[in-house]
Amino acid sequence: MTPSRASTRTTAWTAFGGDLHLDLTGRRAAGAGVRAALEDALREAVQDGRLAPGTRLPSSRALGEDLGIARNTVVEAYGQLTAEGWLTSRQGSGTTVAERTTPRPARRAAGQPRGRRTGRYDLMPGRPDVSLFPRSAWLSAARRALATAPHEAFDYGDPLGRIELRQALTDYLARVRGVRTDPDHLLVCAGFSQGLGLLCGALRGARARSLAVEGYGLPPQREIVRAAGLTPAPLPLDGSGARTDLLHGRRDAAVLLTPAHQYPTGVALAAERRAAAVTWAREHDAYVIEDDYDGEFRYDRQPLGAMQALDPERVVYAGTAAKSLAPGLRLAWLALPDALVEPVARLKQLADTMSPVLDQLTLAELITSGTYDRHVRRSRLHYRRRRDRLVEALAERAPHVRVTGIAAGLHAVLQLPPGAPPEAELLARAEAAGLVLSGLTWHLAEPGLAPDAPPALVVGYGTPPDRTFPAALDALCELLRER
């Protein structure tokens, strides 16, 4: 066999029962002999960590046969790398990768998300207590879904998503949130981030240039808007929510709102502001994107119905399982106006063809069996108790702090009195104390949008597990106590 053909083979690494490709083509083309090319390829595999210390290599006969080269060439290559200290060889034990003391490049701690701050107590807003994820119920639902799913469910399918989940969501959203839609207008996506990107892409494809956003919100969402080629145009906020009355006369293609529970301030969008946004969308051939990110969690007031019901052809409803179940599922959904179904579905197909089938089938089973409703009710009680403990602790130990935005959701805004340390100083103290939380200023869309806003912290009370929540509250109260 010629070296060029041999270079396309893979070796059978018996230590872990898989294959590792050894690319000899470039080395042979550069003039290296077969043995030198093999030595370089093995040396590189050890250096870059593909062959970890202790990995047992195949016998010289097996490797020679697999690569189509002489056994003696492999024996000589093994011998040279053993002499250099890369490999070790013992009679009866074969050849293995040697232990080495050369330091490896620094890596992030296992499981640490890129760009996320870490500390002893995680009070960052926007995330649930993932220890509540109903593992047993999910596993049981997955088994039932697998047992009853048609064979074609596991083939390439509709980019809108599995019909089972779209039908289940149609019924659930109508009953719980008052959403008016049907399975043909629902699209399942990989989290709200993907859904927002798809919507922005469809709008940009229709020659849109800007998208209105709330004056306070999530910076990553504004980055998604920019990445799609649109300019985020902030709307001021007040005690009644976003100033949607200021939309008239603007040429934004859509407005992104969190009407049921503004993120992060926690206010609900007033009825007249909702009506103003829908009227603007009708008159300007525009859309309202309703981000109902924590719609299931209401405590001190009746749930507000979805804004989408005011006009399903002008309001895109976006829901998610990130708060009710877990962010790691990457399951969200869009209830789309008729004119957006095809362009958004086409972009979804280009992005990843479709969302994972088994997770869709499992969630559909959870919803139709009533298990999802029971889980949401338990979670709502859990988070309400968390919120009450937070409010009580602050009232007792930091009474000068005003707690707002707590009628719903998984976070609270802690407004500090005049003369309090600036947010940056408080966040530095929090980091030193092992607390991870956010300042309200970080959420501001434009630095000058709220020049007179007092310092405030945005605290998530959902994330810490039960065993650490009391200690997290102690650390927070110590941070905020008057000095």
Side-chain angles (χ1 to χ4, degrees):
M1 179 176 291
T2 64
S4 61
R5 290 182 62 195
S7 66
T8 65
R9 294 289 193 91
T10 57
T11 60
W13 301 111
T14 56
F16 52 86
D19 293 333
L20 177 67
H21 178 68
L22 290 178
D23 184 9
L24 308 184
T25 305
R27 295 174 176 86
R28 294 290 289 125
V34 176
R35 174 185 155 184
L38 177 59
E39 289 175 8
D40 286 346
L42 287 169
R43 192 182 291 110
E44 183 180 279
V46 175
Q47 285 178 313
D48 66 17
R50 284 183 293 148
L51 291 178
T55 300
R56 184 177 178 183
L57 303 185
S59 68
S60 56
R61 184 185 303 278
L63 183 58
E65 290 177 354
D66 195 54
L67 289 177
I69 61 179
R71 177 188 178 189
N72 286 345
T73 301
V74 180
V75 171
E76 291 169 358
Y78 278 2
Q80 178 62 33
L81 294 176
T82 299
E84 294 177 9
W86 298 101
L87 306 178
T88 60
S89 182
R90 293 183 182 177
Q91 186 69 29
S93 298
T95 303
T96 59
V97 177
E99 298 289 339
R100 298 183 61 79
T101 58
T102 303
R104 295 186 178 184
R107 296 183 179 180
R108 298 191 309 279
Q112 178 181 332
R114 187 180 300 275
R116 179 181 295 177
R117 292 182 291 147
T118 58
R120 254 182 312 171
Y121 308 118
D122 189 350
L123 294 176
M124 283 294 287
R127 299 203 301 276
D129 180 357
V130 292
S131 70
L132 296 182
F133 182 72
R135 298 180 187 227
S136 296
W138 183 268
L139 182 59
S140 297
R143 286 172 174 161
R144 293 194 299 271
L146 273 173
T148 58
H151 295 307
E152 56 88 18
F154 302 98
D155 200 350
Y156 293 107
D158 192 330
L160 290 177
R162 283 300 305 172
I163 185 60
E164 294 90 343
L165 179 56
R166 288 186 283 128
Q167 183 61 64
L169 285 171
T170 296
D171 299 339
Y172 175 81
L173 294 173
R175 171 171 55 86
V176 175
R177 304 294 296 126
V179 173
R180 295 162 52 195
T181 191
D182 59 63
D184 291 337
H185 289 81
L186 273 172
L187 180 139
V188 181
C189 50
F192 176 69
S193 293
Q194 186 188 51
L196 178 59
L198 296 174
L199 288 168
C200 290
L203 294 173
R204 187 70 184 92
R207 302 186 181 279
R209 295 185 177 181
S210 64
L211 185 143
V213 297
E214 294 168 319
Y216 284 96
L218 274 175
Q221 291 183 358
R222 295 192 290 270
E223 289 303 311
I224 291 170
V225 174
R226 292 188 185 96
L230 301 178
T231 300
L235 282 174
L237 288 169
D238 60 22
S240 297
R243 292 286 309 276
T244 55
D245 54 304
L246 300 179
L247 286 169
H248 288 277
R250 294 173 47 155
R251 296 186 177 182
D252 305 308
V255 57
L256 173 60
L257 299 173
T258 49
H261 188 227
Q262 202 284 321
Y263 185 85
T265 64
V267 301
L269 188 64
E272 63 272 16
R273 300 271 177 93
R274 291 179 169 221
V278 173
T279 299
W280 166 80
R282 290 170 180 160
E283 293 176 352
H284 292 76
D285 191 23
Y287 295 97
V288 176
I289 303 172
E290 178 180 12
D291 179 8
D292 195 31
Y293 66 99
D294 61 359
E296 289 90 351
F297 301 119
R298 300 286 179 269
Y299 311 125
D300 299 328
R301 58 172 168 81
Q302 289 296 314
L304 296 174
M307 189 173 167
Q308 185 262 6
L310 297 176
D311 192 338
E313 290 306 310
R314 285 295 153 195
V315 183
V316 178
Y317 176 86
T320 177
K323 308 298 185 294
S324 58
L325 288 171
L329 291 178
R330 308 313 301 147
L331 281 174
W333 39 89
L334 303 175
L336 296 164
D338 193 67
L340 289 179
V341 172
E342 287 303 320
V344 174
R346 183 168 60 251
L347 291 175
K348 170 65 175 175
Q349 189 166 29
L350 291 173
D352 56 11
T353 306
M354 58 186 183
S355 294
V357 166
L358 181 54
D359 290 343
Q360 293 186 64
L361 293 173
T362 302
L363 179 56
E365 174 63 28
L366 276 182
I367 293 172
T368 55
S369 68
T371 305
Y372 184 76
D373 281 271
R374 292 190 291 273
H375 170 73
V376 167
R377 286 195 294 271
R378 287 192 297 267
S379 298
R380 185 185 299 129
L381 179 60
H382 172 81
Y383 292 129
R384 178 169 186 158
R385 288 171 175 168
R386 285 280 185 91
R387 183 210 61 171
D388 291 347
R389 291 180 67 180
L390 170 67
V391 173
E392 290 167 4
L394 290 172
E396 179 182 347
R397 300 167 60 181
H400 58 288
V401 175
R402 182 174 172 235
V403 187
T404 63
I406 55 173
L410 307 179
H411 71 275
V413 178
L414 311 186
Q415 298 184 356
L416 304 174
E423 283 181 23
E425 181 180 333
L426 281 172
L427 292 174
R429 290 182 189 175
E431 185 175 0
L435 278 168
V436 182
L437 39 79
S438 175
L440 185 61
T441 302
W442 180 75
H443 297 82
L444 198 58
E446 286 182 357
L449 202 60
D452 301 324
L457 301 177
V458 185
V459 174
Y461 50 81
T463 307
D466 283 338
R467 68 180 184 279
T468 64
F469 189 60
L473 284 184
D474 289 342
L476 178 64
C477 290
E478 176 63 23
L479 171 73
L480 296 173
R481 73 178 177 86
E482 289 185 297
R483 287 173 168 81

